[in-house]
Amino acid sequence: MLKHYLLERVIRHYVQNVEKVLQQVSISQLLFGSVRLEEVHLVPESIQDALFSYVFFACEFTRVTAFDVEVSLEWLSMATRSVQLRAQRLELEMVLYDPHGLEAAQQFWDAQRLRLRAEREYLRIPAESTLLYKVLGGLDISFGNVTARIRTLDSSEPMLLVSLGGLRYCPASQSGEPTNDLPLAMRPDDSLGEVAYNYWFEISSMKFSLLQSGSDVPGPGLSLEGFSFSSFGKVPANGRREAPCYATTINSIKIREIK
């Protein structure tokens, strides 16, 4: 009963269509190391909190929906192998706010300031080097296709369509290649009192298109093919306590083609 209660608490924090998702998730599925979900409507505020450091400060998620989601994990190797989170499709709706028009969206800016304050507090206190910390830091996340429709506060229709294909974020080896081997990606050095990290980020295709009023058909835009980013970072550690990972060195940035 406790496991079911904890699982439901986590789902309710991040998911809007709770009942539908709970019908598809069970402890037995988790024990076998694989969970599949047809459609997940995520809570925009929770995603805003989780991705605060990775999204433009003036952007707000208003809808986040993932389709054909699969979570895979190896219970006996969770400390050494990445938990894999995959989705065939991710659809986003976002609002872009004007930083010079604070009064028009005071509630949003107040919430962003609270997130920024919480982020600064988090950075001051090193995180425990626990199994959960390693799991979250070593996630292998991939999406087949991501579409983001972005509008401004004074517009009811999206003005920009961002389409991403083949997105993946995961740990990397010292040579900058993607890997699920956590000891290769997270390397503590007690003699130096630090932990070294490597991460990999890639997008097979990326397109930015303007949208005409009343139409969802992409107009003129800019496209990139074959984007990849490899980073390396070192953070201080104190015994079993490690600070969060942030990229301090870029190993490589590659773009195959720009149109």
Side-chain angles (χ1 to χ4, degrees):
M1 291 296 293
L2 177 60
K3 291 180 179 178
H4 286 279
Y5 171 75
L6 294 175
L7 178 61
E8 184 173 339
R9 283 289 301 273
V10 172
I11 291 176
R12 288 190 180 279
H13 181 72
Y14 288 101
V15 174
Q16 287 183 324
N17 56 333
V18 175
E19 300 306 324
K20 184 176 180 180
V21 169
L22 285 175
Q23 292 174 2
Q24 302 175 66
V25 177
S26 67
I27 294 297
S28 59
Q29 286 179 316
L30 288 173
L31 291 176
F32 280 106
S34 180
V35 175
R36 293 177 180 270
L37 304 170
E38 295 178 1
E39 184 175 332
V40 182
H41 298 266
L42 297 166
V43 178
E45 293 82 2
S46 297
I47 302 304
Q48 188 88 22
D49 293 340
L51 299 181
F52 174 76
S53 299
Y54 304 94
V55 179
F56 182 50
F57 190 81
C59 274
E60 179 185 24
F61 292 103
T62 57
R63 187 175 76 88
V64 183
T65 307
F67 300 88
D68 298 323
V69 180
E70 180 181 5
V71 180
S72 303
L73 64 155
E74 300 176 26
W75 286 105
L76 298 179
S77 306
M78 286 189 66
T80 58
R81 303 292 297 176
S82 294
V83 173
Q84 299 180 4
L85 173 60
R86 293 186 171 88
Q88 289 298 317
R89 192 166 90 252
L90 180 68
E91 294 183 356
L92 308 171
E93 290 183 4
M94 307 175 73
V95 176
L96 179 63
Y97 290 89
D98 181 1
H100 301 290
L102 302 182
E103 297 81 5
Q106 193 63 50
Q107 185 176 357
F108 168 75
W109 294 115
D110 289 343
Q112 287 294 82
R113 291 189 189 96
L114 288 176
R115 292 183 178 104
L116 180 60
R117 191 181 308 162
E119 182 79 2
R120 289 172 174 169
E121 290 297 324
Y122 177 71
L123 292 177
R124 290 194 186 102
I125 305 174
E128 281 284 352
S129 180
T130 59
L131 176 60
L132 178 62
Y133 178 72
K134 292 179 180 179
V135 169
L136 295 178
L139 288 174
D140 184 347
I141 303 172
S142 61
F143 299 100
N145 292 284
V146 178
T147 56
R149 290 172 173 80
I150 304 173
R151 66 176 178 86
T152 57
L153 182 62
D154 56 357
S155 174
S156 59
E157 298 178 346
M159 304 174 64
L160 178 67
L161 175 66
V162 181
S163 303
L164 309 176
L167 184 150
R168 185 185 184 191
Y169 175 79
C170 65
S173 64
Q174 293 187 62
S175 60
E177 297 299 320
T179 182
N180 285 154
D181 192 330
L182 297 184
L184 285 180
M186 302 179 182
R187 303 175 302 279
D189 189 330
D190 294 335
S191 63
L192 297 177
E194 63 187 20
V195 181
Y197 297 82
N198 286 80
Y199 283 93
W200 172 266
F201 179 66
E202 69 173 305
I203 301 174
S204 298
S205 62
M206 184 186 314
K207 186 173 183 179
F208 301 86
S209 306
L210 296 175
L211 294 174
Q212 302 298 324
S213 178
S215 172
D216 202 34
V217 178
L222 172 71
S223 64
L224 292 82
E225 300 287 337
F227 173 85
S228 64
F229 174 92
S230 177
S231 66
F232 167 74
K234 285 187 177 181
V235 292
N238 181 15
R240 294 184 62 256
R241 300 180 69 82
E242 301 173 6
C245 166
Y246 288 92
T248 56
T249 303
I250 297 174
N251 282 344
S252 66
I253 295 180
K254 297 178 182 179
I255 300 176
R256 187 172 66 246
E257 185 179 8
I258 300 178
K259 297 180 183 179

